[in-house]
Amino acid sequence: AATDTYRPAAHPKDGYEERRLKAVLLRILIELNTPEVHGLAEDHFRRAWHVSDRMSALVAINLSEHPLRAAIMERAYHMWKGHLSAYAGYLGVVGATPHEDVFDRLALEEHRPTFRLQHPTHSRALFGSMAGNNKMLWTDRGIEWMTATVIRLALINENTANHLVAAFQQVHKLADDLRPKVLRALRAMKDGIDADKSPSIAGRIRSYLRT
C-alpha cells in the first residue's frame, strides 16, 4: 500500500522510463477533464510509492478542473513539507497553477511556517515556477504580482529577483497590447528598487528598458 512518506527509489534509474511515460500519458489524458480521468489521476497519486510518480500525478491534477484539487494539493504539502527536494517540487507545482487561485495559493505558501523567503531553493521553486507560468503571468494581475515581488525580493534575495525579472527581458518583442503594461511594470520596479543596495537587479531592469 502507498504511504504518505517520502521514499526515493533504490536507484535513480529504477523504472525511470516507465515513470516518464506514465507522466506524459497522464498529462495528455488530463486535458479531457472528465470525472474518469480525474479519478485516474487521483488514484495514481494515492497509490504511487515513488515520489516522482506522485509528483507527476499532482502536476496533472493541478492542471485540471478536478473538484478536489485544493484538498489534494494540501495533502501533498503535508506529505512533503519535511523533505527539501520533495517540498521544492511541490512549491514548483503551486507556482505553475494555471487557475485564477494561483495568487491566493502563492500567498498561502509564502506564509506557511515551512517557507523561508531567504532560502534560495524555497523562493526559486515557488516564485520561479510562477515566472514561467505563461497562462497567468501575462494577465494584469500576473504583471502586478511580478512587479511587487521583484521589488520586495530585491533586498532579501537578489538572485531570485534577477531570475524572476528575466521573464520580462523580451519586453520590446511583446504584442502591442502587452508591451506597454510590461514597460510600466519595469519602470515601477526601477523606481521601487534602491540601485545602491541592489545593483545587479537594478542594472538588469535598466538594460531591459534600454533595449
Side-chain angles (χ1 to χ4, degrees), residues 12-186:
K13 293 185 179 179
D14 288 352
Y16 171 76
E17 292 298 332
E18 181 182 352
R19 290 196 302 274
R20 187 172 68 170
L21 178 60
K22 286 180 181 178
V24 170
L25 291 175
L26 194 54
R27 286 287 294 269
I28 294 171
L29 287 172
I30 206 68
E31 294 183 9
L32 296 172
N33 256 318
T34 63
E36 292 78 13
V37 174
H38 291 165
L40 176 67
E42 184 176 353
D43 186 64
H44 187 50
F45 174 78
R46 293 181 184 280
R47 291 177 179 273
W49 69 269
H50 193 284
V51 68
S52 65
D53 279 338
R54 281 191 164 183
M55 194 70 72
S56 65
L58 187 68
V59 168
I61 290 167
N62 196 46
L63 291 173
S64 77
E65 301 290 343
H66 194 306
L68 298 179
R69 178 173 60 89
I72 295 170
M73 289 290 292
E74 188 68 11
R75 181 181 177 191
Y77 165 74
H78 287 288
M79 280 196 297
W80 294 329
K81 64 181 181 179
H83 305 276
L84 181 59
S85 60
Y87 179 47
Y90 162 80
L91 292 173
V93 176
V94 173
T97 300
H99 306 287
E100 291 290 339
D101 68 350
V102 64
F103 303 103
D104 295 333
R105 295 293 306 178
L106 289 166
L108 171 65
E109 296 304 330
E110 188 177 345
H111 289 92
R112 290 195 197 263
T114 45
F115 186 84
R116 289 172 50 210
L117 193 61
Q118 299 87 347
H119 196 295
T121 300
H122 291 183
S123 57
R124 179 69 69 93
L126 183 62
F127 300 140
S129 59
M130 178 60 200
N133 185 345
N134 288 329
K135 182 170 182 180
M136 301 309 302
L137 176 62
W138 303 107
T139 63
D140 288 348
R141 191 171 180 188
I143 294 169
E144 290 173 2
W145 173 88
M146 177 68 86
T147 305
T149 303
V150 168
I151 292 172
R152 185 160 53 95
L153 283 179
L155 286 175
I156 301 172
N157 195 324
E158 192 172 4
N159 286 336
T160 299
N162 267 314
H163 176 74
L164 295 186
V165 79
F168 286 177
Q169 63 184 308
Q170 299 297 325
V171 55
H172 296 287
K173 296 181 180 180
L174 294 174
D176 291 344
D177 61 333
L178 191 56
R179 189 186 317 115
K181 298 176 183 180
V182 176
L183 283 170
R184 283 196 297 271
L186 287 167

Side-chain angles (χ1 to χ4, degrees), residues 150-151 162 165 185-191 193 200-210:
V150 168
I151 292 172
N162 267 314
V165 79
L186 287 167
R187 293 187 190 106
M189 293 179 202
K190 177 178 174 291
D191 293 341
I193 291 173
S200 176
I201 183 64
R204 175 167 290 196
I205 291 168
R206 287 196 301 269
S207 72
Y208 292 168
L209 286 169
R210 287 195 302 267

